[in-house]
Amino acid sequence: MKWIDGGVTAPKGFWAAGVSAGIKKGGTKDMAMVYSQVPCVAAGVFTTNVVKAAPVKWDYQVVHESDYAQAVVVNSGVANACTGAEGLGHCKETAKTAGEALGIPADAVLVASTGVIGAKLPMDKITEGVRTLKEALGSDQKAGALAAEAIMTTDTKPKEIAVETVIGGKTVTVAGMCKGSGMIHPNMATMLCFVVSDVKISHSLLQKALSDDVVDTFNMISVDGDTSTNDSVLLLANGLAGNEEITEEKEDYRAFCEALHVVMEELSKKIAGDGEGATCLFEVKISGAPTKEAARILAKSVVTSSLTKAAVYGHDANWGRILCALGYSGVSFDPEQVDIWFESRAGKLKIVENGVSTGYSEEEATKILSEEEVTAIADMKAGTETATAWGCDLTYNYVKINADYRS
Amino acid sequence: MKWIDGGVTAPKGFWAAGVSAGIKKGGTKDMAMVYSQVPCVAAGVFTTNVVKAAPVKWDYQVVHESDYAQAVVVNSGVANACTGAEGLGHCKETAKTAGEALGIPADAVLVASTGVIGAKLPMDKITEGVRTLKEALGSDQKAGALAAEAIMTTDTKPKEIAVETVIGGKTVTVAGMCKGSGMIHPNMATMLCFVVSDVKISHSLLQKALSDDVVDTFNMISVDGDTSTNDSVLLLANGLAGNEEITEEKEDYRAFCEALHVVMEELSKKIAGDGEGATCLFEVKISGAPTKEAARILAKSVVTSSLTKAAVYGHDANWGRILCALGYSGVSFDPEQVDIWFESRAGKLKIVENGVSTGYSEEEATKILSEEEVTAIADMKAGTETATAWGCDLTYNYVKINADYRS
C-alpha cells in the first residue's frame, strides 16, 4: 500500500466539483459534489445525537434502502438541522434537482450540510448551485481539491488523502475528504467525511468495514466534547478497479480494510489537529489497560479534559491533570501503578512512575510540549489492551471563534 | 428561616482563623482552621475520582471511624494529591500537630488541601502554620471571613453564607464556606466546602441530610467537566443550639434539611458563578422530563457544553447548541416537542417552540444574555420532572488561567 497525491477524484470513475453558490458571504466556496460514472454500493455511519439533522435522516434511507448511490451533494454555511419537516423536504428537493441534472434517480443522491443549526436552506441558491456543480464536474486532482475546499466551515485547511493498494492483482484506490473543526466529539461518526474507492465489494462488507473502522478512528477524536447533529461518514465504492468482488472476510477484505483504515485515521487526525483555535494535535496513547473498551474510555477522558488541553496550549507538563482525567473516566484502576510519558519530535520523557513524579526536567518537558504534534502516553500496567485518541489544545481562539460564530 | 451575616463562626461554639504560612508566594493567606469548642458529629461526601488525594482518604476515615470531630485544617497552594504513602503521612502529621495544639485527639482533626497536584506539602511551613492558626482563632465574623479567604486558589472572591432557623423552639444556625473555581465538575461533592451548625442531630441523619442534598446542589454544578482528586464537603454539628437531638426523619429533620439546602445551593452557585475566567453564572433549568435522573442528565449536558458556554460568553442566543447538547446527553426524547427560553433580570424570551425557532428578536435575546446571571429553560414535554444545573461561560481568561497555572 502506498500514499498517492490527490483526494476524492483519485479512484477510477469519480468526479468532483466545488463552487460558490452564495450561501456563505463574500464568494467563499460553499457547495461540493462527488459523482461516480457508474452506480456505487454505499455505506454510512451517522451521529448518535437524538437531534438528527435532516440530511442524516435522508442519507440513512439512501444507504440502507436505495438500490445504489451515485452522487453526493454537500453545502456548507447552513446545517439544515432543527428545521422540522420542511428541512427534510429540502433534502428531497436537492436530491431531485441533482438527480435530474445528472440523469440518475433522486434516491441515488446523498446530501450533507454543515453550518449554523436552526437556519433553513436557501433553496433557490441550492438549486442553482447544484446545476453549476454539474457543469463544473472534473476528474483531475484540482476538481477534488475544490470540493474539499467547498465543504470547509471554520476549518483552516482542506483535508484530503488518497492511498493505493493491490487487491486480487488489481490496483485499488481509496481516497477521502472531510471537514470538521468545532462541535467535534463524534460518536459513531464525525462531522462530514466522504470516502470513495474503486474497489468492488459487497454492500454488507462495505458497511462492516466502515462501521468497524470508525470505532478506532473518528470515534476517537474530540475537539470540544460536543457531538454534532450532522455527523456523517459516507463511503462509496464503484467497483471500477476490476478486482473480483469482495464477498468474504478473507485476504482481499483485510487489504481493503487496511487501506481504508489509513485513510480514516489520517482524516481523523487532520480534523483533530485543525480543531477550532488549535495550535497543536494532541495524541493520547493508553497501554496496559484491562480491556479495549477501558483503553478507549481512558484515552478519550484525557483528550477531552479542558484543563489538560489548556495545559498543552501552555506547554505545561501538568501531569496531575492527566492522572486526574484518567481517574474520573469511570474506569477503575490503581493510580499508584500508572506511568506517564510525554513524546514529540523533540524527544520522549518519563514524567510519572507508579503514580508519582519522576523528578523530570521541566525545561525538557516544555521543549517536548512545544511541538505541533504532542503525545501523552499512559501505561496503566493492568492488562495488555491499547487505544489512541486524538484532540487538540484549548486556546483563546477556540473561545473567540465560538463566542460570535453566527455574527 | 432567615439569612444572616457571617460565615463559619455564625453557629454557636465555632471559631475560625485564616493566616499566611508561606506556602503560596507573596504573603497570600494559605491556611485556615475551623474549631468547635465541643466535640461534633461529622458527615462528609468526597470525590468519586479513582485518584483520591491523601486528605480525602484521611477525612473519610475520620468521618466514618472516629468517635467525633472537632477541627478542620485547610491549606491552599498544594493539593497533596498523587503523593503516595508520604502524602498520607503528611495528613497524619498535620492532624497530630493540630491535635496537640488544640488539646484534642489527632483523629478528631479533619484536613483538606487544594492547589497543584503532584507537589508535596512543605511540612515545616504546615507545622508552623497550624500553631499560628491556633493562636489566631476567633469567634467573630472577621475570623470566619479570614478563613474563607485563606482557602481560595483561583477564586476571585471568598464564598460564605449563614442562615438561621428554628428547630424544637431553639434557634439553630447553619453556615458554610467553600472554594472552587477550576477543575469543577463534582461527582458526589465539590472541591472544598465546609458547613457547620450548632444543631443537635444523630450521626446517621447528619450524613443522610448531606448525602441527599449534594445530589441537587454540588453535583449539579460544572465549570469545566474536570472532577477533582480533592473534592470534599464536610459538615460538622456541635449541638450547642440546645434543640432536642434529631434522631428521626420528622419535622425537625426537614427544617434542618431546608436550612442546609439553602446553604449548599447558595455555595454551589457561588462556585459556578466564580468559575475560572467566568463573566456570568449560567443556570440551566429542565422541566417536563420523564424522570428526575433524565432531568439532571439533560441539565448537566447543556451546562457543560463548551460550545453553549462560549455562545453565552458572546451573548449569542445560539439555541441550536442547546438542542444539540440535549441531544447527545444520552437521554432519549422527541426533539420536535422541545420548547426553549432564555431568562435573566432583563426579561424572558421564548426562542424555540416544538424544536424550531420562534422567530424571536435577536436583539432582545442578546439583551437578556448580557446580564451577570443567565438562565436557559428547556421544557421537554415528556413528563413532570425538573432539575437545575449551574455553570458559567467559557472565556479567554479560562484558557489563560489554565495554560500557565503552575508558572
Side-chain angles (χ1 to χ4, degrees), chain A residues 35-254:
Chain A
Y35 169 71
S36 168
Q37 292 178 282
V38 298
C40 301
V41 285
V45 283
F46 304 99
T47 184
T48 53
N49 197 312
V50 170
V51 182
K52 290 180 206 310
V56 167
K57 296 178 188 172
W58 174 262
D59 289 354
Y60 186 89
Q61 244 177 301
V62 172
V63 165
H64 293 285
E65 295 172 21
S66 293
D67 293 335
Y68 60 89
Q70 199 165 348
V72 188
V73 177
V74 195
N75 76 275
S76 55
V78 173
N80 193 14
C82 306
T83 47
E86 195 180 356
L88 197 56
H90 287 165
C91 292
K92 201 174 289 189
E93 203 180 321
T94 305
K96 190 162 166 275
T97 307
E100 282 165 9
L102 296 165
I104 59 174
D107 73 357
V109 180
L110 295 151
V111 299
S113 299
T114 173
V116 176
I117 296 178
K120 290 172 188 169
L121 284 182
M123 285 311 293
D124 49 342
K125 290 175 183 169
I126 295 280
T127 303
E128 191 53 36
V130 166
R131 292 181 186 135
T132 313
L133 282 167
K134 195 260 164 182
E135 295 309 317
L137 281 174
S139 61
D140 56 355
Q141 261 187 45
K142 180 80 197 293
L146 289 174
E149 187 190 329
I151 63 175
M152 290 163 59
T153 54
T154 49
D155 304 63
T156 64
K157 44 196 169 199
K159 302 169 180 69
E160 50 178 1
I161 180 188
V163 302
E164 257 180 31
T165 188
V166 175
I167 295 179
K170 305 287 180 181
T171 297
V172 167
T173 305
V174 183
M177 65 176 183
C178 66
K179 64 81 49 185
S181 191
M183 205 175 262
I184 299 293
H185 183 84
N187 192 359
M188 274 310 285
T190 190
M191 199 55 177
L192 294 182
C193 173
F194 309 98
V195 180
V196 293
S197 176
D198 45 22
V199 71
K200 193 158 177 62
I201 187 168
S202 71
H203 187 251
S204 62
L205 281 188
L206 190 70
Q207 181 67 49
K208 181 174 196 309
L210 180 64
S211 297
D212 287 354
D213 201 66
V214 290
V215 177
D216 285 316
T217 54
F218 286 102
N219 283 3
M220 291 304 285
I221 64 172
S222 182
V223 168
D224 49 19
D226 284 86
T227 302
S228 158
T229 51
N230 290 52
D231 290 347
S232 303
V233 182
L234 296 170
L235 170 58
L236 299 178
N238 68 9
L240 290 181
N243 62 301
E244 198 181 327
E245 189 181 10
I246 301 171
T247 56
E248 289 179 80
E249 292 182 46
K250 294 192 173 160
E251 192 189 336
D252 289 358
Y253 178 72
R254 284 191 291 274

Side-chain angles (χ1 to χ4, degrees), chain A residues 49-50 82 183 226-227 305 307 310 314 316 321 323-324 327-328 333 362 394 396 398-399 402-403 405-406, chain B residues 49-50 82 183 226-227 305 307 310 314 316 321 323-324 327-328 333 362 394 396 398-400 402-403 405-406:
Chain A
N49 197 312
V50 170
C82 306
M183 205 175 262
D226 284 86
T227 302
S305 153
L307 286 170
D316 177 7
R321 293 179 180 171
L323 204 50
C324 179
Y328 64 69
F333 63 89
E362 291 282 357
L394 175 62
Y396 304 153
Y398 175 84
V399 179
N402 287 302
Y405 181 58
R406 303 194 309 168
Chain B
N49 198 312
V50 170
C82 306
M183 205 175 263
D226 284 85
T227 302
S305 152
L307 286 170
D316 178 6
R321 293 180 180 171
L323 205 48
C324 178
Y328 64 67
F333 63 90
E362 290 282 356
L394 175 62
Y396 304 154
Y398 175 83
V399 179
K400 185 165 165 38
N402 286 301
Y405 180 58
R406 302 193 310 166

Side-chain angles (χ1 to χ4, degrees), chain B residues 285-318:
Chain B
K285 289 187 172 180
I286 300 293
S287 63
T291 66
K292 189 80 189 167
E293 184 57 14
R296 288 191 189 114
I297 290 169
L298 289 163
K300 285 197 87 165
S301 187
V302 175
V303 100
T304 55
S305 152
S306 294
L307 286 170
T308 303
K309 288 153 57 96
V312 170
Y313 173 53
H315 306 154
D316 178 6
N318 199 323

Side-chain angles (χ1 to χ4, degrees), chain B residues 200-234:
Chain B
K200 191 157 177 64
I201 187 168
S202 71
H203 188 251
S204 62
L205 282 188
L206 190 71
Q207 182 66 50
K208 181 175 197 309
L210 180 64
S211 297
D212 287 354
D213 201 67
V214 289
V215 177
D216 286 315
T217 54
F218 286 103
N219 282 4
M220 291 303 284
I221 64 171
S222 182
V223 168
D224 49 21
D226 284 85
T227 302
S228 157
T229 50
N230 291 51
D231 290 347
S232 303
V233 182
L234 296 170

